[in-house]
Amino acid sequence: MPSALPTGDPAPPDGSLPVTALAGLGTRPFGVYVHVPFCATRCGYCDFNTYTAGELGTSASPQSWLEGLRRELDLAAGVLGTPPPVDTVFVGGGTPSLLGASGLADVLDAVRSSFGLAGDAEVTTESNPESTSPEFFAAIRDAGYTRVSLGMQSAARHVLAVLDRVHTPGRPVAAAREARAAGFDHVNLDLIYGTPGESVDDLRASLDAVHSSGVDHVSAYALIVEEGTALARRVRRGELPMPDDDVLADKYELIDTAMTAQGLRWYEVSNWAAGPSSQCRHNVLYWQGADWWGAGPGAHSHVGGVRWWNVKHPAKYASLLASGVSPAAGRELLSDDDRRVERVLLELRLAVGLPVDVLDDEGRAEAKIAVRDGLLEEAAFAEGRCVLTDRGRLLADAVVRRLT
């Protein structure tokens, strides 16, 4: 989840929600996101809410974080009254695999204790390939995890070096195979494309490596140079060039062609899956505006049109919860128009598209122009849905701006 804190209203100390937000609870999918803020090293491109041991010193630890997490999940269950069983759990970060298999088992036990899991719950953890092993995968599978997402980024050593990634190029594929051998049917590899110095041949080698891994899901994101990161400072000093939009578009098309050839189809602009059962249900929950509680430092939540976000520092997070106070730093009550705009922003990125009747009059007029311009599928529009064409995917942000 995003780590930046938007401007909003103060959150109540007890974390309570308006009655209107709780009215439809359980009629929509419900998920839990757990943010693990720990990393062994800081990657140069990353602006997530993460901390190395050296940055934290003695102010926070995995143990104090876990104690805070348990308290927040108990608080959440109380705020929600009778919370629905959790349909999806996503443990992200940071580097969740630094907790080890026993730590990840403790996290899932905490979710079970406070909420309970649906019988078919999807339970995902992100993992750094270097902090995994066959024994690790077997243990988290036994603990109840059903899905693993591995950070690969690239198969090219020099590209990983620019990104400050510490894993060896072949380790992500080996880890994916180990996860499959441990019984995980659903394994994702994350790619980043457009890194300065990445050639087309480098990207092809990465795609070939993905194919050899046998995973059923791939996420591929264009490199974004985020302000405040080491990468941004290098670009500003002229050490590295800013990624070129035309090059990024060409590489996206190359990725999409390769994924299709491997039997993976796009279901969201940056995500490909072997079939509906291979899609990340937790992320679909976000894109379709359902409900989730984000637990952990800097985590964001949304229930019934109320969005809130936690304090960022792990020490402050744990301290607030130890004193019986919600860790929420602020919140927003979304208006009907806010929610409509967010539906367009998120659902238009999905292969199933967006119902035309979500748009206002101006948006529908713009959608007709987008069909004429080859950005939205004509046949789908005739049936009442806005679905991006291949060209529309390359210009998805621009299409969203037009329709909102």
Side-chain angles (χ1 to χ4, degrees):
M1 294 298 297
S3 59
L5 299 184
T7 301
D9 298 324
D14 62 358
S16 58
L17 293 171
V19 173
T20 53
L22 301 176
L25 193 65
T27 64
R28 300 174 295 270
F30 182 76
V32 171
Y33 172 77
V34 176
H35 186 71
V36 180
F38 309 111
C39 280
T41 60
R42 181 173 296 282
C43 298
Y45 64 91
C46 179
D47 73 336
F48 292 168
N49 187 43
T50 61
Y51 305 83
T52 65
E55 290 169 338
L56 286 173
T58 60
S59 68
S61 67
Q63 186 57 42
S64 66
W65 167 83
L66 181 59
E67 290 170 1
L69 178 70
R70 290 188 177 117
R71 291 188 175 107
E72 184 180 3
L73 292 172
D74 285 344
L75 179 149
V79 166
L80 297 177
T82 305
V86 176
D87 296 301
T88 65
V89 179
F90 196 104
V91 184
T95 309
S97 49
L98 286 180
L99 300 176
S102 62
L104 285 171
D106 289 341
V107 168
L108 190 52
D109 284 344
V111 176
R112 282 197 191 97
S113 175
S114 297
F115 289 95
L117 297 179
D120 64 343
E122 173 195 86
V123 184
T124 303
T125 182
E126 293 180 339
S127 297
N128 185 316
E130 294 291 349
S131 52
T132 64
S133 65
E135 295 76 19
F136 168 85
F137 290 120
I140 64 170
R141 187 74 186 90
D142 288 345
Y145 286 81
T146 66
R147 187 172 179 275
V148 173
S149 181
L150 295 161
M152 175 177 172
Q153 283 68 56
S154 175
R157 189 179 299 274
H158 67 96
V159 173
L160 295 174
V162 172
L163 296 172
D164 294 323
R165 295 291 296 184
V166 297
H167 63 260
T168 54
R171 179 58 199 154
V173 169
R177 291 171 178 164
E178 291 167 2
R180 297 299 293 266
F184 282 96
D185 293 327
H186 305 304
V187 181
N188 171 66
L189 284 173
D190 274 346
L191 292 175
I192 291 177
Y193 62 95
T195 301
E198 179 193 57
S199 68
V200 171
D201 285 343
D202 292 331
L203 180 56
R204 286 199 177 103
S206 297
L207 296 171
D208 289 343
V210 167
H211 183 49
S212 72
S213 71
V215 297
D216 69 329
H217 191 286
V218 172
S219 300
Y221 304 103
L223 178 67
I224 298 175
V225 179
E226 301 283 5
E227 280 301 317
T229 62
L231 180 63
R233 291 190 289 274
R234 294 186 68 187
V235 170
R236 189 163 53 249
R237 290 194 298 263
E239 298 174 14
L240 296 171
M242 182 71 77
D244 180 270
D245 287 343
D246 290 336
V247 172
L248 292 175
D250 290 343
K251 289 184 174 180
Y252 179 87
E253 291 180 321
L254 176 60
I255 292 167
D256 186 52
T257 299
M259 292 300 102
T260 302
Q262 294 177 25
L264 276 62
R265 303 286 179 174
W266 80 283
Y267 70 99
E268 191 274 342
V269 168
S270 298
N271 289 271
W272 292 259
S277 65
S278 296
Q279 296 177 7
C280 179
R281 286 165 47 197
H282 187 82
N283 284 344
V284 170
L285 178 149
Y286 293 153
W287 296 319
Q288 293 185 336
D291 296 329
W292 72 91
W293 192 290
H300 286 219
S301 303
H302 172 266
V303 173
V306 179
R307 178 170 54 219
W308 67 97
W309 48 93
N310 286 347
V311 296
K312 296 178 72 174
H313 199 280
K316 180 68 171 176
Y317 169 80
S319 174
L320 286 169
L321 285 158
S323 62
V325 176
S326 164
R331 77 179 189 185
E332 296 174 312
L333 179 60
L334 303 177
S335 67
D336 289 344
D337 193 55
D338 291 334
R339 298 178 79 173
R340 180 189 62 79
V341 170
E342 289 202 355
R343 280 197 69 180
V344 177
L345 174 67
L346 297 171
E347 290 185 35
L348 191 63
R349 296 179 61 86
L350 296 170
V352 295
L354 170 82
V356 174
D357 60 15
V358 171
L359 303 174
D360 59 17
D361 290 344
E362 185 177 349
R364 283 191 285 272
E366 286 291 339
K368 291 178 181 177
I369 297 172
V371 171
R372 184 198 66 195
D373 292 346
L375 302 174
L376 294 176
E377 295 282 359
E378 184 174 5
F381 190 76
E383 295 174 358
R385 300 195 70 80
C386 294
V387 176
L388 292 170
T389 62
D390 290 348
R391 180 168 176 265
R393 275 191 279 162
L394 296 174
L395 300 168
D397 292 343
V399 178
V400 166
R401 287 193 295 271
R402 288 171 62 168
L403 300 192
T404 54

